[in-house]
Amino acid sequence: MQSTESHNRPEAERLKDQANRFYKNGRYQKALKIYTNSILADPTYAVAYSNRGACHMQLDDFNAALDDIHTALEIDPHYHRAIVRLSTILCALGRFHECVTVLDPFKEESTDIRGEMGKVERYATEIDKSLESIAVENYSNAERILKRLLEDVVKHSLPVAMMYAMAFIGQKKFDEARQFIAAQKRKAKTQTEKDHFSFTAKLVNFYESGNADALSAEINQLRSIMPSNSLLRQYAKRLRDFASKKQEGNDLFKAKSYEDAIVAYSNVLVPLELKITTENSPSLLFSYFRNMYFERDTHLELVYDQFDFKSNAKIFGNRAACYMSTEEYEKGLIDSEKALSCDHQYTKALARRAQCYVKLGKFQNAVSDFERLIKEDPGNPEWRQHLQAAQQMQRTTGDKDFYKILEIEKSASADDIRKAYKRITRQNHPDRTRHLSDAEKELAQEKLQSANEAYEVLSDPDKRRRYDSGGYSSANPFGGGGSPFGGMNMGGGIPPEILQMMMNGGMGGMGGMGGMGGSRRRRTRTSGGFGGMGGMGGGAQNVECQQQ
């Protein structure tokens, strides 16, 4: 509709000028009524619609403002001031990409519009960076970006507000997340927005506690009063699917079908095996509000949720137990560390990591973990026994067991040593590990460095002889000498049965993880090498069966 002069235009202009004076004095409600009278005097007066839209903006009614500005532009599509105001409204709603599309056709008509477009493009880039940061778990960066946008630009956007809450959740700043969500709920304009904030507040409690039963009860209660909330429906399904897939893995583990259990647990964790982007983020909550932001279909089929820290820790921990049962200790170590990154207080994962360190000959790391277990679980006397045993092994073999690093017997020939070294360096060469995860690449690099160190010693007959006789310490490579135990008192207050268990396997419930000796990895339990540092407090290698 093009602007046309009307016999009521003079009256409309008079009323508009009167409203402008109230607007400038901050009396927006009064100005709003007079702008409406101006529009009634001349419904084709684009300026009155645009100015009333500005009044709505000052009253934080951005949807009403949007309607007025659209009407003004229907009357006069090239009304530059209205176009700039439309940009301001869309930015306040967090709709930066849409704003760029709106401004682009007019950028050659006005320097003001060109300047506005440059500013909006920067905002669009910032929101994209924040979305990417959340997707790849760089939550502190997302918090920094979104905080600035919410303070300076975005006034009313449910998706952007939820992204900011997720940045807190990802950093485990649960109190800050709750406070922000409560404040946003008080400011919410619609019942739909209030419902989303109500449910997200429940999710924050779940992410902190890991109590899935409590969340399921909350969802059932909320669905009775929010039957149309699709996020509730999708998250209820996510909890059911997660519990089902986890139970499948647990049943396979109990049946000692470890490789099948690994597959079952991996099916839950499959997003972590992918390159995470904003398009395939493994968070149902993030994906839901990302899709809302871009106005996409919000039907999702996600089982894994990157914010469900407690549950994810248990899945990683359970898969670590499977890898340990198949003697894949490097993978068990990686999963134990991932479990601890999700839940640093997860004692079973810490115990599994300690055992993996022992099996990999990293006794110094094992000692540190056992010392931490004693502090975090002082009521379990077994941790001190395991600590003493690990300390004994550290003193006996030094910080590192070079034979174990090269996966060879202590009687290996020089040719065996050379072949083992070449095999390990070939397997862990950067060209062969490019497709692996960052954690796996780091482990491969560590194995390369350890292999180089081991080969340097074992390939030299004199160094090897001194290593065999005196142990090895990274701080004092060939100090000590003489006795195979470096002249220490083998008694040391350590019960002989503990040393016997370390050397021959045992320690009960964690399962006689058997055979670190030998150069071949097998899927069955063995008795060679530094066998079975099992036990670990009556079941550290048992899977976590409860959905908590």
Side-chain angles (χ1 to χ4, degrees), residues 438-464:
D438 289 342
E440 289 171 324
K441 287 179 183 176
E442 185 176 343
L443 180 61
Q445 180 63 29
E446 183 181 327
K447 290 178 74 173
L448 267 180
Q449 293 173 350
S450 296
N452 287 334
E453 187 178 4
Y455 184 70
E456 180 183 355
V457 172
L458 299 185
S459 62
D460 184 303
D462 185 50
K463 288 182 180 180
R464 181 181 180 184

Side-chain angles (χ1 to χ4, degrees), residues 55-219:
C55 219
H56 282 304
M57 290 164 60
Q58 293 297 331
L59 295 169
D60 285 340
D61 192 347
F62 292 99
N63 289 322
L66 198 59
D67 290 340
D68 274 351
I69 298 299
H70 278 150
T71 302
L73 290 171
E74 287 177 5
I75 296 170
D76 183 358
H78 293 271
Y79 184 13
H80 290 166
R81 176 169 286 187
I83 292 170
V84 172
R85 280 178 176 158
L86 176 59
S87 171
T88 302
I89 294 169
L90 291 175
C91 287
L93 296 172
R95 293 156 61 175
F96 302 118
H97 294 281
E98 180 183 348
C99 189
V100 171
T101 303
V102 167
L103 293 175
D104 187 64
F106 306 100
K107 62 185 179 184
E108 301 303 326
E109 296 183 10
S110 164
T111 55
D112 288 343
I113 291 178
R114 282 197 297 276
E116 183 73 10
M117 186 169 178
K119 181 173 65 176
V120 173
E121 285 176 332
R122 290 194 296 274
Y123 295 151
T125 299
E126 289 284 276
I127 201 72
D128 287 344
K129 287 180 180 178
S130 69
L131 294 172
E132 179 70 18
S133 294
I134 293 174
V136 301
E137 304 183 13
N138 186 356
Y139 302 114
S140 59
N141 190 53
E143 179 191 350
R144 178 183 58 80
I145 295 171
L146 291 167
K147 182 175 187 288
R148 183 170 62 248
L149 289 174
L150 286 165
E151 288 178 346
D152 299 342
V153 185
V154 180
K155 304 301 180 184
H156 187 83
S157 171
L158 173 63
V160 175
M162 291 308 307
M163 299 299 172
Y164 191 50
M166 281 179 250
F168 284 129
I169 295 169
Q171 298 174 83
K172 301 183 177 67
K173 295 180 178 179
F174 298 113
D175 288 339
E176 288 94 328
R178 275 187 283 264
Q179 291 169 8
F180 176 75
I181 291 167
Q184 292 298 307
K185 183 180 177 181
R186 289 193 294 270
K187 293 164 54 179
K189 300 289 187 181
T190 68
Q191 189 59 45
T192 298
E193 292 173 345
K194 291 178 181 178
D195 289 347
H196 277 307
F197 286 122
S198 294
F199 177 54
T200 306
K202 307 295 184 185
L203 277 180
V204 172
N205 294 335
F206 166 62
Y207 290 145
E208 183 175 23
S209 70
N211 191 334
D213 291 338
L215 180 63
S216 295
E218 296 276 11
I219 288 176

Side-chain angles (χ1 to χ4, degrees), residues 134-413:
I134 293 174
V136 301
E137 304 183 13
N138 186 356
Y139 302 114
S140 59
N141 190 53
E143 179 191 350
R144 178 183 58 80
I145 295 171
L146 291 167
K147 182 175 187 288
R148 183 170 62 248
L149 289 174
L150 286 165
E151 288 178 346
D152 299 342
V153 185
V154 180
K155 304 301 180 184
H156 187 83
S157 171
L158 173 63
V160 175
M162 291 308 307
M163 299 299 172
Y164 191 50
M166 281 179 250
F168 284 129
I169 295 169
Q171 298 174 83
K172 301 183 177 67
K173 295 180 178 179
F174 298 113
D175 288 339
E176 288 94 328
R178 275 187 283 264
Q179 291 169 8
F180 176 75
I181 291 167
Q184 292 298 307
K185 183 180 177 181
R186 289 193 294 270
K187 293 164 54 179
K189 300 289 187 181
T190 68
Q191 189 59 45
T192 298
E193 292 173 345
K194 291 178 181 178
D195 289 347
H196 277 307
F197 286 122
S198 294
F199 177 54
T200 306
K202 307 295 184 185
L203 277 180
V204 172
N205 294 335
F206 166 62
Y207 290 145
E208 183 175 23
S209 70
N211 191 334
D213 291 338
L215 180 63
S216 295
E218 296 276 11
I219 288 176
N220 291 334
Q221 182 179 359
L222 289 171
R223 287 184 72 178
S224 65
I225 58 177
M226 311 178 193
S228 62
N229 190 303
S230 61
L231 179 58
L232 278 175
R233 184 172 59 255
Q234 291 172 17
Y235 214 93
K237 183 177 185 301
R238 181 254 157 186
L239 289 177
R240 292 193 301 270
D241 291 347
F242 185 94
S244 174
K245 290 181 180 293
K246 180 182 177 183
Q247 188 59 48
E248 178 187 353
N250 292 351
D251 291 342
L252 289 166
F253 182 92
K254 291 174 184 177
K256 298 185 179 180
S257 298
Y258 301 123
E259 292 184 349
D260 291 336
I262 288 170
V263 172
Y265 291 133
S266 297
N267 286 338
V268 181
L269 300 170
V270 67
L272 290 188
E273 314 302 329
L274 304 173
K275 179 176 174 58
I276 302 302
T277 68
T278 55
E279 296 302 313
N280 69 350
S281 167
S283 167
L284 189 150
L285 186 67
F286 173 73
S287 299
Y288 181 90
F289 285 104
R290 175 208 63 204
N291 287 1
M292 179 182 285
Y293 180 82
F294 288 109
E295 298 183 345
R296 299 172 181 168
D297 179 12
T298 56
H299 179 71
L300 302 168
E301 294 290 343
L302 289 175
V303 175
Y304 177 84
D305 188 337
Q306 70 193 57
F307 300 124
D308 188 358
F309 304 110
K310 303 284 187 180
S311 299
N312 296 338
K314 291 179 175 61
I315 295 295
F316 279 122
N318 289 0
R319 193 170 69 173
C322 292
Y323 282 130
M324 294 166 70
S325 295
T326 58
E327 300 183 18
E328 297 178 88
Y329 301 114
E330 293 91 347
K331 292 181 179 180
L333 176 61
I334 290 173
D335 271 2
S336 296
E337 290 180 336
K338 287 179 178 178
L340 288 167
S341 71
C342 293
D343 181 3
H344 70 278
Q345 296 178 325
Y346 189 15
T347 303
K348 277 192 176 181
L350 184 59
R352 286 175 183 143
R353 187 174 73 175
Q355 187 183 20
C356 287
Y357 280 141
V358 170
K359 292 298 182 178
L360 295 170
K362 299 181 179 181
F363 301 116
Q364 186 173 353
N365 299 91
V367 166
S368 296
D369 277 356
F370 285 127
E371 289 175 339
R372 179 177 158 187
L373 282 164
I374 290 170
K375 291 179 181 178
E376 295 184 4
D377 187 17
N380 190 337
E382 292 190 30
W383 302 140
R384 190 165 299 281
Q385 292 179 330
H386 294 312
L387 172 63
Q388 291 174 324
Q391 288 172 330
Q392 185 71 78
M393 294 304 298
Q394 183 182 15
R395 287 192 290 266
T396 301
T397 64
D399 293 341
K400 299 179 181 179
D401 187 331
F402 289 152
Y403 293 102
K404 204 165 295 177
I405 288 170
L406 295 181
E407 300 177 8
I408 55 177
E409 301 286 356
K410 194 170 182 179
S411 59
S413 66

